[in-house]
């Protein structure tokens, strides 16, 4: 019998190499501060609610980067974004973007910026809402398209005019490859709509052991209503328990 043909390895693109450098830098920085055994680094093609290119999940001890967002940042901005998230891991997410966090971020070599906004011409998606508000997005439109959330609207408005920026680095195959190579583990929800859960303490006086009622279950998070204040709160699956934590 003849030899079975082997599939040639996928060649890494320049964008893919750039993102792998970011991954190594993040792992090295965590190791320099003794966090390599407890914290992990993962990637998604794109992330919601990520102005800086990544998110730090406190209870799961994970840093997750948006590959599409990182792809359109400049090299210095990527390193800044990594230092931003590692500073959160070191001082604790409860510190938010306080002076404590900013001091640590700057100590790591960061600018101390709370977000990184690339040039609007670099985003993979752009358009206008019916009222003429321009928007850009690192996320594709999905099944429901785009919605404009400009403060001028009482509620999000459906966007009917948008285009794909074919030249954006966010469309490079290296973006998808990073998400496939380092995917964040999918957690299963332990609670359902109507259940009361309690925020596992993480050093925030406002939310530690706060009672929440689950109103929606997302892919990795619960959307809840604070039982005492009626505030809407989004929490990771790993961030809540069935009873207050002593």
């Amino acid at each position: 019998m003849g030899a079975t043909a082997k599939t040639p390895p996928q060649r890494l693109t320049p964008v893919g190499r750039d993102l792998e450098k970011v991954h190594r830098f993040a792992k090295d920085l965590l190791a320099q501060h003794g966090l390599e055994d407890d914290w992990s680094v993962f990637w998604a093609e794109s992330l919601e609610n990520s102005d800086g290119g990544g998110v730090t999940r406190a209870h799961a001890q994970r840093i997750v980067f948006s590959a599409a967002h990182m792809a359109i940042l400049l090299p210095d901005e990527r390193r800044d974004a990594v230092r931003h998230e590692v500073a959160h891991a070191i001082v604790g997410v409860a510190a938010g973007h306080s002076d404590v966090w900013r001091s640590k971020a700057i100590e790591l070599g960061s600018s101390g910026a709370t977000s990184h906004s690339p040039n609007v011409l670099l985003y993979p998606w752009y358009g206008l809402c019916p009222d003429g508000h321009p928007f850009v997005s690192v996320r594709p439109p999905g099944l429901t398209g785009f919605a404009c959330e400009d403060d001028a609207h009482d509620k999000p408005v459906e966007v009917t005019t948008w285009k794909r920026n074919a030249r954006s680095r966010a469309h490079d195959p290296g973006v998808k490859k990073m998400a496939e190579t380092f995917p964040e583990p999918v957690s299963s929800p332990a609670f359902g709509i109507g259940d009361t859960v309690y925020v596992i303490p993480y050093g925030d006086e406002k939310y530690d052991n706060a009672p929440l009622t689950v109103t929606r279950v997302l892919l990795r998070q619960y959307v809840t209503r604070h039982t005492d204040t009626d505030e809407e709160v989004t929490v990771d699956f790993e961030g809540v328990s069935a009873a207050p934590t002593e």
Side-chain angles (χ1 to χ4, degrees), residues 25-42:
F25 179 55
K27 297 281 285 185
D28 288 346
L29 196 56
L30 286 169
Q32 289 172 25
H33 293 83
L35 301 177
E36 71 274 23
D37 292 334
D38 298 322
W39 284 77
S40 302
V41 179
F42 300 107

Side-chain angles (χ1 to χ4, degrees), residues 123-172:
Y123 278 84
W125 305 95
Y126 63 97
L128 289 171
C129 87
D131 292 333
H133 301 127
F135 80 94
V136 290
S137 176
V138 295
R139 292 179 63 84
L143 296 176
T144 58
F146 289 113
C148 177
E149 298 183 355
D150 192 279
D151 291 341
H153 303 304
D154 294 331
K155 59 182 180 180
V157 173
E158 180 183 355
V159 174
T160 57
T161 305
W162 48 268
K163 291 185 178 181
R164 180 181 186 271
N165 177 7
R167 296 185 177 183
S168 174
R169 284 167 54 98
H171 294 304
D172 186 274

